[in-house]
Amino acid sequence: IVGPLGVYFLIKFLFKEHKSKFINLTAFLAALFYIFNLSTLQQFLVPFEMFPTQWALLPFIMLFTLKYLQKPSTLNLINFSLFTLLAVPQAYAAHLWYAFFAIYLVFLFLYFILFRNLACLKKIIILIVLTLILNSFCLLPNLYFIKTSSSIPKDSKVNRLYSQEYRLQNRRTGY
């Protein structure tokens, strides 16, 4: 329920200037699409908590990012921080968090290109730093491993097992 509610409120926020009676219907249909598209099936097919967590909280992260960028207030920053902190389980496998963060940076960069003012840049930097700080307890050990032990996966026997050389050796041993 959390993900579609986030999409519902995000769409209502994005179209708040349009004084149409169809905004609620549009937001409802967008939330239904968020539930019933094939990507949702993919998110819930593998039972890792990181995928449903990202699916549920990403709309709220985007909503409070836009709210903070348009109206910087402490409440918007606290709400952004709360949902970013709740989304920390998506960093369980760091590659999912890296993908999220890369797309989030692209989103913020495009927002800056669209509005091009220095006050906007300051708010964007605050959001980036806050996101990194709130996720640092999951990311710092991962970065430490990359720095000190990045050769371990390359030297793993499992990786050698599937190379062409070992396939031929296994075939020869099997005969």
Side-chain angles (χ1 to χ4, degrees):
I1 288 177
V2 176
L5 281 175
V7 170
Y8 178 81
F9 291 124
L10 178 63
I11 298 300
K12 281 188 71 162
F13 178 75
L14 289 174
F15 294 107
K16 67 181 177 199
E17 286 88 27
H18 299 274
K19 301 295 181 197
S20 172
K21 59 184 174 182
F22 298 113
I23 292 175
N24 289 335
L25 178 64
T26 304
F28 178 73
L29 291 175
L32 277 180
F33 179 75
Y34 195 65
I35 293 175
F36 294 117
N37 66 43
L38 291 177
S39 176
T40 302
L41 177 65
Q42 181 181 356
Q43 293 289 339
F44 288 97
L45 193 61
V46 179
F48 284 145
E49 70 275 358
M50 59 188 181
F51 294 122
T53 300
Q54 187 181 48
W55 183 85
L57 297 173
L58 185 61
F60 281 107
I61 291 172
M62 301 312 289
L63 172 66
F64 289 112
T65 294
L66 289 171
K67 280 188 172 188
Y68 179 73
L69 289 173
Q70 291 179 7
K71 185 182 175 201
S73 69
T74 306
L75 180 63
N76 287 333
L77 198 57
I78 288 172
N79 285 331
F80 170 79
S81 300
L82 175 70
F83 281 100
T84 302
L85 198 57
L86 288 173
V88 164
Q90 73 179 336
Y92 167 72
H95 60 279
L96 183 65
W97 190 87
Y98 293 144
F100 156 75
F101 192 62
I103 297 299
Y104 188 66
L105 288 177
V106 169
F107 171 76
L108 292 174
F109 177 73
L110 291 175
Y111 188 90
F112 175 71
I113 294 297
L114 195 61
F115 293 101
R116 288 190 192 257
N117 65 11
L118 221 43
C120 178
L121 182 62
K122 181 182 174 192
K123 292 182 274 189
I124 287 172
I125 290 172
I126 288 171
L127 288 172
I128 290 171
V129 168
L130 189 59
T131 302
L132 289 172
I133 288 171
L134 290 173
N135 288 280
S136 64
F137 70 92
C138 285
L139 297 173
L140 290 177
N142 188 265
L143 293 174
Y144 177 77
F145 177 81
I146 290 171
K147 182 178 184 252
T148 61
S149 307
S150 61
S151 66
I152 289 175
K154 181 182 65 170
D155 297 335
S156 173
K157 300 262 190 250
V158 170
N159 291 334
R160 288 192 219 153
L161 188 63
Y162 298 105
S163 71
Q164 182 70 12
E165 175 188 345
Y166 278 87
R167 188 177 73 78
L168 293 173
Q169 262 184 353
N170 287 339
R171 182 185 292 170
R172 188 179 68 230
T173 305
Y175 292 142

